[in-house]
Amino acid sequence: MENKIEGDQPADTGGIQLQTRRAWLADGVELLSSMRFAISLLTLIAIASVIGTVLKQNEPMPNYVNQFGPFWFEIFNKLGLYAVYSAWWFLLIMTFLVISTSLCVIRNAPKMIKDMRSWRDNVREQSLRNFHHRSEWHSANGRGKVTEQILAHLARVGYRFKLVEKEGATLIAAKQGAANKWGYIFAHSAIVIICIGGLLDSELPIRFQQWFMGKLPYEGAGLISKIPAQHRLSLANPTFRGNTMIPEGASSSTAILPQANGVLIQDLPFTIKLKKFTIDFYSTGMPKLFASDVEVTDHETGKVFSSVIKVNEPLIYKGVAIYQSSFEDGGSRLQVKAYPMQGPDISTLAMNGEVGGSTALKPGNGNDFTIEWSGFRPFNVENMARNGSDVRAVNPDQSLNEKLTEDLSKHLGSAAKNANNKDFKNVGPSLQYKLRDETGQAREFHNYMQPVQIDGDYVILAGTRDSPNDAFRYLRIPADDEDSIKDWMRLRAAVQNPELRAMAVTRFAEHAVQRNPGGSTQKQGLWETSARISLDAFAGDEKISGLPAISKKLEKVPQEEQAKVAEGLIKVLNGSMWELWMIAREKEGLPIYELDEKHARFLQLAIGAISDSAFYGAPVYLQLTGFEEVKATVLQVTRSPGKNVVYLGCLLLVLGVFSMFYIRERRLWIWIRDDGTGAHALMALSSQRKTLDFEKEFEQLKMHLRQLTSQAGQEK
């Protein structure tokens, strides 16, 4: 007999792999639908929301560079922190939250609905005896009578019930508050619905068009009508949120959607024309009411109608909501006069500008500049106790001799020292512009048109700052007898004129000798020397001028004599500058002034302002002389189909929370059987939450049922 040895048979690995895959799938679904996963996602969303609240969103990128520096700017930009709510990772978290909560609802809702419909009537007498809240009693009445009495009472207290005959006994299965489970279903469904509504109103549809339809942000400038189609979103775009600025008399049929690296143009199904813009102010200068009187023309039907858009009173047409957002200058036309701030030239130049435009400027110093007219306000209600620091804040040399500047600096102290004095006043129109040089570097200026009273003196404020993040610092130019800056400009130019300085030195020395009888030619020469040193030092050079230059001279004097020499130099400088001022007026055929307190005060202020003008940072000063205001409204235009979805979700959330907290589920079983002399009843009550109210309800229900059914019996 031949022996046959059979080899090992191959294992059936296909079924095992299938079971493994199913196990992995079940584990994945279990994880996604678990409470711990949902709570983790909600925690991440909460953290992202905190970041989006603390960090200003959708600001121009240069603002973030200035705030965080180049290194952290790049890191935060990679993380999408400048637009958290439209970042890919935030949308991904929202998507996973929708999936997680949806799976939770899909898995548990059928069980909850089945449980709500169930009477749980498959219990037995012995199992009811295991309940903590139970009671037994005997009734002399028959089983039918007892059942009838109990059912009547349960109906009165709001229980629904079902009768089941079992093994010579009657089971009453009752329940109350089964709708409590709808609360869990509604609350979880509300989270899904709200998230879906949020995704519908997010930038996800726009991102989808950028990813798959070739839409790109536009980074250039020019007319909106000339922007190519690849930068425009069609009328079919389901959701957007943008702005449109419309000057009075102009119209717009597009909205601008800011992006991280440019803008997208959203075409609208209608044209909005601004007929009139109205604005009212409080006494503090804050806007009280602003509204846009607009005319809307439907592109499809040609329908034309008028409407007034106010704050919190939007116009909604064809699913597009138009909100009153803010207001801007619509291109006011300005007339200005340019005064030179360097050299002995006193000639002026009349110029015209338009807010939002630019003008070339050639001040004659060999450099070309461009004036960018960035803002205009017809009136300014300012707290004169807090009008900003003076221009000396830009002075890099803070080591001036205190005695030298004590008298001349009082009028230039920061008004912040009177910050508690809230003195609101309308200080008139103001002009804001940027002066950009050939290299592209810009400095911003803010000049008031009319004199402003500060510390009892009328001055013309000329503001300057290096960066938009900085506060304006103001050069305070004293107003002359005509409430203008002509005399100050005349004196400033004379300081830079060597011939006029020489004449002023000679005249000062002559008058000094005349005021001191017994003077000699030798003393006149000493006065001339002192005056020449003071004026020439004050006129300065490219490195230093003004009071800092005189302070530099004092460094060569022994310290114990500096105070005395400084006092003498101040007197000589004041006298020389007075003569220089009068000579400059005579040169133009203007009458000279008597030396009185008013003009002496002007001279004191003028000396300080000329000294500080070295830090003004501009070759010219532009004074606003006239204007024609053009107002513009800024409207926010939105299409948000998810809004109603979110409203529905909020309604379900309220119903769900109310149901969970205020509807309490009760399950009641009563087992009634004959015992020969009457009927025996066994009651058991259960609830998901054991509260003091539940304990009280159990005791009352037990007492009432016993009283109804056991007139001749006794409780066990």
Side-chain angles (χ1 to χ4, degrees):
M1 181 175 183
E2 182 178 357
N3 293 329
K4 182 177 181 182
I5 302 176
E6 296 182 359
D8 295 337
Q9 297 295 323
D12 184 8
T13 59
I16 297 176
Q17 292 176 353
L18 179 60
Q19 292 178 0
T20 303
R21 286 196 296 268
R22 288 178 177 176
W24 276 99
L25 180 60
D27 291 342
V29 172
E30 176 67 27
L31 174 63
L32 286 176
S33 60
S34 64
M35 180 66 71
R36 63 183 184 276
F37 187 75
I39 291 177
S40 300
L41 294 177
L42 288 173
T43 302
L44 293 176
I45 291 176
I47 295 174
S49 299
V50 170
I51 295 174
T53 302
V54 174
L55 181 62
K56 289 185 177 180
Q57 300 290 289
N58 298 311
E59 290 281 305
M61 288 302 170
N63 291 4
Y64 296 120
V65 176
N66 294 333
Q67 184 176 359
F68 302 114
F71 177 76
W72 288 108
F73 165 78
E74 288 294 338
I75 294 178
F76 292 163
N77 188 38
K78 295 293 185 182
L79 295 175
L81 300 186
Y82 306 135
V84 169
Y85 304 113
S86 59
W88 66 267
W89 53 266
F90 185 83
L91 297 177
L92 185 63
I93 293 173
M94 292 282 288
T95 302
F96 270 107
L97 182 60
V98 170
I99 295 173
S100 174
T101 313
S102 299
L103 288 175
C104 181
V105 172
I106 292 171
R107 290 183 62 197
N108 296 300
K111 300 177 184 177
M112 291 183 177
I113 295 174
K114 182 179 179 180
D115 185 67
M116 284 188 291
R117 293 177 177 178
S118 171
W119 292 97
R120 300 185 187 176
D121 54 358
N122 57 346
V123 298
R124 303 183 65 84
E125 182 179 6
Q126 185 59 39
S127 63
L128 294 179
R129 297 184 187 278
N130 296 325
F131 279 72
H132 177 73
H133 293 85
R134 70 182 186 279
S135 178
E136 297 183 59
W137 69 92
H138 176 79
S139 175
N141 300 321
R143 178 157 56 102
K145 182 64 175 179
V146 171
T147 301
E148 182 180 347
Q149 291 172 333
I150 291 177
L151 293 180
H153 181 73
L154 294 181
R156 284 194 301 269
V157 296
Y159 275 89
R160 297 170 58 205
F161 49 82
K162 177 183 179 182
L163 287 178
V164 180
E165 296 295 331
K166 288 191 174 185
E167 303 172 359
T170 300
L171 174 65
I172 301 176
K175 59 184 176 180
Q176 186 183 62
N180 169 270
K181 287 187 171 56
W182 282 113
Y184 293 91
I185 298 174
F186 286 164
H188 286 76
S189 300
I191 295 176
V192 175
I193 293 173
I194 291 173
C195 289
I196 291 175
L199 289 173
L200 288 176
D201 285 349
S202 69
E203 288 195 359
L204 187 59
I206 296 177
R207 292 290 182 90
F208 182 86
Q209 296 179 64
Q210 292 178 335
W211 293 335
F212 303 106
M213 301 177 65
K215 298 298 182 180
L216 297 173
Y218 183 68
E219 302 181 27
L223 296 175
I224 293 179
S225 58
K226 302 296 184 181
I227 295 178
Q230 64 189 32
H231 307 297
R232 309 178 77 98
L233 303 176
S234 69
L235 299 178
N237 184 27
T239 178
F240 57 83
R241 183 183 300 272
N243 294 314
T244 181
M245 188 183 79
I246 312 174
E248 284 184 328
S251 59
S252 173
S253 60
T254 58
I256 307 298
L257 279 59
Q259 301 293 302
N261 54 346
V263 297
L264 290 170
I265 308 301
Q266 173 63 58
D267 292 321
L268 302 176
F270 46 76
T271 297
I272 309 171
K273 180 180 180 181
L274 179 63
K275 295 191 294 184
K276 183 180 180 181
F277 183 77
T278 305
I279 181 169
D280 293 329
F281 293 90
Y282 292 105
S283 59
T284 60
M286 294 297 293
K288 179 171 63 175
L289 168 70
F290 47 97
S292 301
D293 185 1
V294 301
E295 181 181 87
V296 179
T297 303
D298 191 309
H299 295 168
E300 183 179 0
T301 63
K303 176 184 176 182
V304 179
F305 63 93
S306 298
S307 180
V308 177
I309 304 173
K310 300 179 182 179
V311 177
N312 298 326
E313 296 182 19
L315 167 64
I316 301 177
Y317 183 66
K318 284 197 166 183
V320 178
I322 308 170
Y323 297 89
Q324 180 66 64
S325 176
S326 61
F327 57 91
E328 296 287 348
D329 190 285
S332 295
R333 289 172 280 277
L334 311 171
Q335 296 88 47
V336 300
K337 183 178 290 187
Y339 289 86
M341 291 289 285
Q342 299 171 355
D345 187 15
I346 60 173
S347 61
T348 60
L349 175 65
M351 304 178 65
N352 294 320
E354 183 176 303
V355 175
S358 61
T359 303
L361 174 66
K362 296 184 178 182
N365 60 359
N367 298 321
D368 292 338
F369 293 86
T370 301
I371 305 173
E372 299 174 0
W373 311 98
S374 55
F376 164 75
R377 296 186 65 178
F379 67 92
N380 295 267
V381 178
E382 302 284 1
N383 180 4
M384 298 313 299
R386 303 185 65 180
N387 59 1
S389 60
D390 59 80
V391 76
R392 291 183 302 135
V394 302
N395 184 0
D397 182 7
Q398 297 295 338
S399 61
L400 302 182
N401 184 282
E402 294 182 1
K403 179 61 180 176
L404 177 65
T405 59
E406 180 178 358
D407 294 331
L408 293 177
S409 63
K410 289 180 180 178
H411 66 287
L412 288 170
S414 173
K417 61 187 177 183
N418 298 319
N420 293 327
N421 178 22
K422 293 185 178 181
D423 186 12
F424 291 101
K425 292 182 180 179
N426 179 13
V427 296
S430 66
L431 166 67
Q432 192 166 328
Y433 61 93
K434 291 181 180 179
L435 199 60
R436 193 175 300 276
D437 61 21
E438 295 173 321
T439 65
Q441 298 297 316
R443 194 180 182 93
E444 195 168 10
F445 299 89
H446 182 216
N447 299 340
Y448 286 86
M449 182 179 184
Q450 301 171 355
V452 178
Q453 188 178 23
I454 299 178
D455 297 336
D457 301 308
Y458 283 93
V459 296
I460 297 174
L461 297 176
T464 177
R465 65 181 179 186
D466 300 321
S467 167
N469 295 325
D470 299 333
F472 279 106
R473 302 174 298 273
Y474 290 91
L475 175 66
R476 304 177 185 183
I477 303 174
D480 56 25
D481 291 356
E482 300 177 0
D483 289 332
S484 72
I485 61 172
K486 294 179 181 178
D487 258 336
W488 185 83
M489 288 293 180
R490 190 177 291 119
L491 179 58
R492 184 215 61 77
V495 169
Q496 299 299 321
N497 191 321
E499 296 180 4
L500 297 186
R501 290 203 307 270
M503 294 173 60
V505 166
T506 301
R507 187 176 296 186
F508 169 76
E510 292 174 353
H511 289 169
V513 171
Q514 293 174 5
R515 287 192 296 269
N516 295 276
S520 63
T521 304
Q522 183 180 3
K523 287 187 176 181
Q524 181 174 343
L526 292 175
W527 285 115
E528 287 183 0
T529 301
S530 298
R532 184 177 298 106
I533 292 174
S534 297
L535 278 182
D536 288 349
F538 190 80
D541 51 32
E542 294 181 358
K543 295 182 179 180
I544 189 171
S545 63
L547 296 177
I550 295 180
S551 178
K552 198 75 173 177
K553 293 284 186 182
L554 289 172
E555 294 179 358
K556 301 178 181 179
V557 178
Q559 187 173 3
E560 61 273 10
E561 299 182 12
Q562 284 185 359
K564 181 178 180 181
V565 174
E567 184 177 357
L569 284 177
I570 283 292
K571 291 181 179 179
V572 173
L573 179 64
N574 283 335
S576 303
M577 290 291 286
W578 174 268
E579 300 296 346
L580 184 62
W581 181 20
M582 294 303 106
I583 291 173
R585 288 184 61 85
E586 289 177 1
K587 185 179 179 181
E588 295 187 31
L590 299 174
I592 63 175
Y593 295 130
E594 294 292 333
L595 182 58
D596 53 21
E597 183 179 354
K598 174 183 177 182
H599 294 99
R601 179 60 177 167
F602 173 87
L603 181 64
Q604 188 181 34
L605 296 172
I607 292 173
I610 292 174
S611 177
D612 293 339
S613 65
F615 311 108
Y616 184 59
V620 295
Y621 165 80
L622 301 183
Q623 184 184 35
L624 182 65
T625 58
F627 59 87
E628 181 182 346
E629 183 186 11
V630 178
K631 300 176 182 177
T633 183
V634 178
L635 302 175
Q636 185 182 76
V637 186
T638 67
R639 176 183 284 161
S640 50
K643 178 177 64 176
N644 294 330
V645 177
V646 172
Y647 289 161
L648 174 61
C650 292
L651 176 61
L652 289 178
L653 185 61
V654 171
L655 293 176
V657 172
F658 180 85
S659 300
M660 286 190 294
F661 285 96
Y662 296 99
I663 299 179
R664 294 168 298 176
E665 184 182 18
R666 302 287 188 267
R667 291 282 182 169
L668 176 65
W669 296 268
I670 304 176
W671 187 283
I672 308 170
R673 58 178 172 80
D674 297 320
D675 63 356
T677 59
H680 177 271
L682 171 61
M683 179 190 76
L685 183 67
S686 72
S687 176
Q688 289 181 333
R689 293 195 301 268
K690 306 297 190 296
T691 63
L692 293 177
D693 289 340
F694 175 75
E695 298 289 344
K696 181 179 179 181
E697 181 182 347
F698 173 73
E699 294 297 331
Q700 290 179 345
L701 184 61
K702 180 177 67 173
M703 180 183 64
H704 290 159
L705 292 179
R706 185 188 62 192
Q707 291 176 350
L708 284 173
T709 62
S710 24
Q711 292 87 354
Q714 60 180 3
E715 183 182 3
K716 292 185 179 178

